[in-house]
């Protein structure tokens, strides 16, 4: 009963916060007074409703979700695998670290332009998503490995615990919070860079391609509608992932 009351209060609070920002948006629209610069909330949500009735809208979402999903999953799998090796081996870390720093420091646009030369318009956003998210996951994984309790490792060596058990019982539990944090960040970043790559590569079915088309045809309510769609999808994926991780971690807790 108490849980349902807390959830209800949380929903009401969320609705009020959203309502507040829509009101701020409406005030901004009244002050600006030009639809070309800032359309009214009603115009944007009306355009979003129109788009939602079109099959092409959902097709574009499906393809963009595929690109983001594939790029993020690849970055998480390889980021964790390479990160564990790098965290446990100083030489591997020293070799890879400059590359990670370079990737994080280079403007995304530079990589997008290169990706357009190397890959097809469909695969370029996947590559960009992977490339931008990989260093994030790698860095968090290395941090997780290096923050493992040294006393536990010493104890494991004293009692001659196998490497497999050390990884399973010591390293992996230590990595969990870093894994969740990096994965959530990768999901958010993945949507941003993938859609940006889609804007430039303009694949046949994509959210980014529709954003570019809306800008080209000065469909400003459409531009805002597609942007809200990206924000909504990113939020849904993040909430779903976090709740899934909570259930998984909760199911592994020892029973009293």
């Amino acid at each position: 009963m108490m849980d349902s009351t807390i959830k209800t209060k949380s929903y009401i609070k969320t609705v009020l916060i959203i309502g507040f920002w829509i009101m701020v948006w409406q005030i901004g629209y009244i002050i600006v007074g030009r639809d070309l610069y800032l359309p009214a909330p009603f115009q944007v949500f009306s355009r979003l409703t129109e788009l939602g009735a079109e099959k092409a809208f959902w097709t574009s979402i499906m393809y963009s979700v595929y690109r983001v999903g594939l790029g993020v999953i690849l970055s998480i799998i390889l980021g964790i695998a390479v990160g564990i090796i790098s965290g446990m081996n100083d030489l591997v870390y020293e070799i890879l670290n400059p590359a990670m720093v370079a990737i994080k420091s280079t403007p995304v646009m530079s990589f997008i332009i290169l990706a357009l030369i190397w890959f097809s318009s469909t695969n370029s956003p996947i590559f960009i998503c992977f490339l931008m998210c990989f260093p994030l996951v790698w860095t968090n994984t290395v941090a997780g490995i290096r923050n493992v309790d040294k006393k536990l490792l010493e104890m494991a060596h004293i009692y001659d615990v196998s490497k497999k058990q050390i990884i399973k019982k010591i390293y992996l539990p230590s990595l969990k919070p870093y894994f969740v944090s990096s994965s959530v960040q990768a999901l958010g970043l993945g949507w941003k860079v993938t859609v940006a790559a889609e804007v430039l590569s303009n694949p046949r079915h994509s959210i980014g391609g529709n954003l570019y088309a809306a800008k080209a045809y000065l469909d400003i309510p459409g531009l805002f509608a597609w942007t809200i769609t990206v924000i909504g999808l990113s939020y849904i994926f993040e909430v779903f992932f976090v709740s899934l991780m909570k259930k998984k971690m909760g199911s592994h807790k020892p029973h009293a």
Side-chain angles (χ1 to χ4, degrees):
M1 187 69 180
M2 190 174 288
D3 287 343
S4 62
T5 305
I6 293 171
K7 285 182 180 179
T8 303
K9 287 182 179 179
S10 178
Y11 289 142
I12 292 171
K13 183 180 177 182
T14 302
V15 169
L16 289 174
I17 290 171
I18 293 171
F20 168 78
W21 284 110
I22 291 176
M23 185 177 67
V24 171
W25 179 0
Q26 179 66 30
I27 293 170
Y29 164 74
I30 294 169
I31 293 171
V32 173
R34 294 191 67 180
D35 297 348
L36 186 63
Y37 295 142
L38 184 64
F42 175 78
Q43 290 176 301
V44 173
F45 290 115
S46 176
R47 183 75 181 101
L48 185 58
T49 303
E50 291 174 9
L51 289 170
E54 299 174 6
K55 183 182 177 182
F57 174 79
W58 298 105
T59 303
S60 297
I61 287 177
M62 183 180 68
Y63 275 90
S64 289
V65 166
Y66 160 73
R67 294 185 186 102
V68 174
L70 184 58
V72 170
I73 288 169
L74 286 173
S75 69
I76 289 174
I77 293 172
L78 292 176
I80 289 173
V82 178
I84 289 172
I85 296 169
S86 303
M88 298 176 74
N89 189 306
D90 289 338
L91 178 60
V92 175
Y93 173 81
E94 289 169 6
I95 291 171
L96 292 179
N97 189 50
M100 300 302 158
V101 172
I103 292 170
K104 287 189 282 188
S105 304
T106 304
V108 179
M109 206 58 64
S110 299
F111 284 124
I112 293 174
I113 293 168
L114 284 172
L116 290 173
I117 298 170
W118 296 340
F119 305 99
S120 65
S121 61
T122 299
N123 293 327
S124 294
I126 299 171
F127 171 74
I128 292 299
C129 181
F130 165 76
L131 189 66
M132 293 294 102
C133 295
F134 177 79
L136 182 64
V137 179
W138 180 85
T139 302
N140 276 271
T141 303
V142 170
I145 292 293
R146 294 193 167 186
N147 281 313
V148 169
D149 191 339
K150 300 294 187 254
K151 291 180 180 179
L152 285 176
L153 291 175
E154 288 173 6
M155 191 181 296
H157 287 305
I158 290 170
Y159 288 98
D160 200 24
V161 179
S162 66
K163 286 187 178 180
K164 184 180 178 181
Q165 286 299 313
I166 290 173
I167 292 171
K168 186 178 178 181
K169 300 295 184 181
I170 299 177
Y171 280 110
L172 291 183
S174 175
L175 274 176
K176 278 183 180 179
Y178 293 91
F179 165 73
V180 173
S181 175
S182 62
S183 297
V184 169
Q185 291 176 59
L187 277 170
L189 179 62
W191 274 104
K192 291 176 186 177
V193 297
T194 302
V195 171
E198 287 178 342
V199 170
L200 282 186
S201 62
N202 199 15
R204 187 179 175 188
H205 301 292
S206 67
I207 292 175
N210 282 286
L211 277 168
Y212 181 82
K215 174 258 180 188
Y217 292 105
L218 295 178
D219 178 14
I220 308 304
L223 186 65
F224 273 72
W226 280 108
T227 303
I228 289 172
T229 301
V230 175
I231 294 170
L233 286 168
S234 179
Y235 177 76
I236 290 168
F237 271 68
E238 183 178 322
V239 169
F240 173 76
F241 178 81
V242 171
S243 62
L244 182 66
M245 285 299 102
K246 282 182 179 178
K247 286 181 181 178
K248 289 284 184 183
M249 289 181 180
S251 65
H252 286 87
K253 287 178 182 178
H255 296 286

